[in-house]
Amino acid sequence: MKEFAVFWGCTIQARFPFIEKSTRIVLEAFGLPYRDIDGFTCCPEKSLVNNIDHAAFVLTAARNVALVDELGVDLVSPCTGCVSNLATVKCELNANPKEKSEVNSLLKEVGREFTGKSKLHHLVPFFHDAVGILAIKQRMKRDFSGMKIALHYGCHMIRPSHALRNDDPLNPQKFDNLIRAMGAESLQFLTKLMCCGQGLDRIDEHDKALHFARIKLRELKSIGADALVLCCPSCFLQFDNNQFLMEKEGEKFGIPVIYFTELLGLSMGYTAEELGMTAHRVEVEPFIKKWESMADRPPREEAIEAGLNGPNLIG
Amino acid sequence: MLEATLNLKLLEMCSKCGACFSICPSCMHIPGYDPRAVINDILDGNYEKWLTSRHIWQCLECHHCLEICYQHYGFENAMAALRTIAAKRGIHPTQLKRGWEMFVKTSRLGEPALPARKKLGLPEPKASGADEFKKLLSLLKEKREKKKK
Ligand code: SF4
Ligand code: SF4
């Protein structure tokens, strides 16, 4: 496997260092050739930067990509927004030689060059494609059979598809495949692909942001989801933090929000504490408790066997 | 100004289509949010009134409209163009501006949380590229000023 740099992004490092923790744990456990590199800045965040100054948006992203281009490594990020923004700019520049040479004429003055050669991956499709389901199954100590998981892809893991080109943008499968490989049921529900709505919190519309979270959480509660699993710090903020705020106001959903790397870590035998999950605002206890109680049940094969050969209708 | 950032022919097709309205989360859940009205006004030359509207910022940039669109175009382009014009005139949500200022000043939207890192046993964060980034932004500024002259 080609070496890759991890792009942590601002939000994970500033607000959710425990996500970095669980990500490092699984990268190490799989023995993946990752490294940390100097010099990254904000990806930059699209709504804040691109709306105000498109050229600054492009230039900043191009510089970040140039850092991995120069080292001849690829880039993997556990942040959905970061990958999408970097990939969008890379695609724009690769398709637009004039703009690319303008950007490079500025980058040259600080000794950098954007070639656009390195590959940029989101952690989830990267695990699906490069690590592979077989390798995951081999390292798992205990699966999640019997658990009902609701997935939230996060818009920018897969869209815009012309830039990311990693899954079907309107009917994605890879995250589902991973969850199923871990033995859980991946629930199919109406709001599965609906945007989390966290963006509304960035434009002074907190009530509307809460409302967007509420729509999905309500559905999840009604279909009996054991957890909402995702891999994006913005979506995490929306469903963990904003759910907590609604709970404080008396609106209880009780849906634990679990990062992909945390779920993977649990299945490999790490504890919720080791993975930093105790830092979540919405309790993850109910999920862990139910999962632990499942361990006492006989494995599926045995249960079926018992049903067939044990006492039955005929006697 | 609008013509420079929008493909009016594609927008004209939008005005007859509207397919993405039924997949757009903001159309579904925010009363009054309707890019079809915005598009019609742009085509009629009446876009000014939208520059001060909250609605142009309520596009979540989720790219659903882009992906379902038979022209791979999307409502979002109309909303983004209006946001750009509004921002140039200094009309934008205050939080957005705060984020932008922090970005320009520090090259990031927040610094690594050091005490929490230590508790979790995480390594020292790598150096940021803030200095180089600031130099690039000032080069960009210079280049723009030269162009103006
Ligand atoms: S990108 Fe904006 S306009 Fe398009 S579907 Fe999403 S919220 Fe609606
Ligand atoms: S963006 Fe595409 S799908 Fe939406 S109205 Fe325009 S043409 Fe139709």
Side-chain angles (χ1 to χ4, degrees):
Chain A
M1 185 185 292
K2 195 167 168 192
E3 212 185 342
F4 60 90
V6 182
F7 194 95
W8 298 105
C10 306
T11 313
I12 288 179
Q13 290 207 314
R15 300 199 60 166
F16 308 121
F18 55 88
I19 294 178
E20 181 174 335
K21 179 75 183 179
S22 62
T23 305
R24 282 186 193 275
I25 286 179
V26 298
L27 292 178
E28 291 284 340
F30 278 87
L32 299 176
Y34 78 100
R35 56 157 124 161
D36 288 280
I37 69 171
D38 281 325
F40 284 141
T41 62
C42 176
C43 55
E45 211 278 329
K46 196 172 180 192
S47 65
L48 299 181
V49 178
N50 195 38
N51 283 324
I52 295 189
D53 190 339
H54 180 66
F57 174 72
V58 171
L59 194 57
T60 310
R63 184 185 158 281
N64 282 325
V65 175
L67 295 176
V68 284
D69 279 348
E70 278 161 25
L71 294 170
V73 298
D74 286 339
L75 178 150
V76 173
S77 179
C79 174
T80 296
C82 292
V83 181
S84 178
N85 292 329
L86 295 170
T88 299
V89 169
K90 179 183 151 184
C91 179
E92 178 174 328
L93 292 181
N94 279 345
N96 192 338
K98 188 166 165 272
E99 193 184 358
K100 183 171 167 180
S101 78
E102 274 174 34
V103 162
N104 269 332
S105 77
L106 287 171
L107 286 176
K108 199 172 165 208
E109 300 205 31
V110 294
R112 307 245 172 242
E113 188 192 1
F114 167 93
T115 62
K117 286 212 177 82
S118 46
K119 292 213 170 73
L120 316 175
H121 303 280
H122 184 283
L123 189 74
V124 167
F126 175 78
F127 257 89
H128 184 278
D129 299 340
V131 178
I133 283 180
L134 190 64
I136 293 174
K137 285 195 161 173
Q138 282 168 343
R139 281 185 177 74
M140 263 167 39
K141 292 227 168 78
R142 228 192 98 199
D143 72 11
F144 292 98
S145 54
M147 301 301 283
K148 289 194 256 176
I149 284 179
L151 274 185
H152 175 78
Y153 272 80
C155 299
H156 298 131
M157 182 194 294
I158 44 176
R159 293 186 291 271
S161 60
H162 63 265
L164 289 156
R165 300 203 294 178
N166 56 11
D167 208 339
D168 184 325
L170 293 174
N171 184 24
Q173 295 298 327
K174 290 183 181 169
F175 209 169
D176 284 85
N177 291 344
L178 289 169
I179 294 300
R180 290 187 189 121
M182 287 190 237
E185 176 186 354
S186 176
L187 295 167
Q188 302 304 314
F189 52 104
L190 278 174
T191 58
K192 184 175 173 195
L193 289 185
M194 179 183 162
C195 175
C196 71
Q198 171 59 22
L200 293 162
D201 251 338
R202 285 194 287 267
I203 56 156
D204 319 325
E205 304 234 29
H206 184 55
D207 285 350
K208 289 205 176 63
L210 291 185
H211 186 59
F212 266 66
R214 180 181 293 123
I215 292 168
K216 191 172 297 229
L217 291 169
R218 257 194 205 148
E219 188 181 8
L220 296 189
K221 197 173 167 185
S222 75
I223 59 173
D226 293 316
L228 175 62
V229 171
L230 43 71
C231 194
C232 169
S234 270
C235 303
F236 184 84
L237 181 67
Q238 170 73 336
F239 291 115
D240 191 57
N241 202 50
N242 277 347
Q243 181 181 178
F244 174 76
L245 294 179
M246 287 190 282
E247 286 192 350
K248 269 204 328 205
E249 298 292 319
E251 205 177 343
K252 180 132 175 104
F253 301 99
I255 307 285
V257 184
I258 300 181
Y259 222 71
F260 167 63
T261 47
E262 295 172 338
L263 193 74
L264 194 54
L266 286 174
S267 80
M268 295 167 81
Y270 295 95
T271 64
E273 264 111 72
E274 285 169 318
L275 293 159
M277 294 171 75
T278 38
H280 291 206
R281 314 222 38 198
V282 175
E283 298 247 1
V284 293
E285 263 311 290
F287 178 85
I288 308 275
K289 277 227 175 89
K290 178 168 174 192
W291 187 44
E292 272 164 5
S293 74
M294 290 284 183
D296 306 334
R297 289 218 228 157
R300 201 178 341 195
E301 298 77 14
E302 267 175 42
I304 292 173
E305 189 67 28
L308 289 175
N309 299 329
N312 54 35
L313 285 177
I314 306 164
Chain B
M1 180 177 274
L2 254 177
E3 287 70 13
T5 45
L6 275 176
N7 185 327
L8 295 181
K9 182 62 206 154
L10 295 186
L11 274 192
E12 208 255 318
M13 313 273 272
C14 283
S15 71
K16 296 182 189 131
C17 166
C20 54
F21 185 81
S22 55
I23 202 181
C24 165
S26 293
C27 296
M28 278 189 256
H29 302 296
I30 300 179
Y33 181 91
D34 189 349
R36 296 176 303 186
V38 178
I39 285 168
N40 278 322
D41 279 334
I42 292 175
L43 291 170
D44 289 342
N46 292 332
Y47 65 86
E48 279 286 330
K49 65 176 183 216
W50 290 104
L51 298 180
T52 50
S53 162
R54 307 191 72 83
H55 291 320
I56 60 173
W57 301 95
Q58 288 163 342
C59 164
L60 299 158
E61 304 189 61
C62 69
H63 310 305
H64 257 118
C65 50
L66 181 79
E67 302 291 355
I68 203 173
C69 176
Y70 69 99
Q71 350 185 53
H72 198 66
Y73 191 57
F75 276 167
E76 58 170 17
N77 283 292
M79 305 309 253
L82 293 179
R83 284 197 299 272
T84 306
I85 302 172
K88 277 207 181 103
R89 299 199 191 160
I91 317 167
H92 34 56
T94 42
Q95 230 165 302
L96 195 99
K97 184 73 176 169
R98 231 181 288 139
W100 162 258
E101 274 158 9
M102 181 164 204
F103 167 71
V104 174
K105 221 163 100 191
T106 67
S107 88
R108 292 204 269 225
L109 295 177
E111 295 302 313
L114 296 178
R117 293 185 73 83
K118 220 170 165 190
K119 237 169 96 189
L120 287 163
L122 288 170
E124 284 282 306
K126 287 284 172 179
S128 93
D131 292 337
E132 203 177 292
F133 161 84
K134 281 182 208 156
K135 191 164 172 216
L136 267 180
L137 282 196
S138 63
L139 286 168
L140 178 65
K141 209 169 145 202
E142 265 171 44
K143 196 178 153 196
R144 279 179 174 153
E145 271 154 19
K146 246 190 237 157
K147 249 193 189 160
K148 261 193 218 154
K149 274 178 200 161

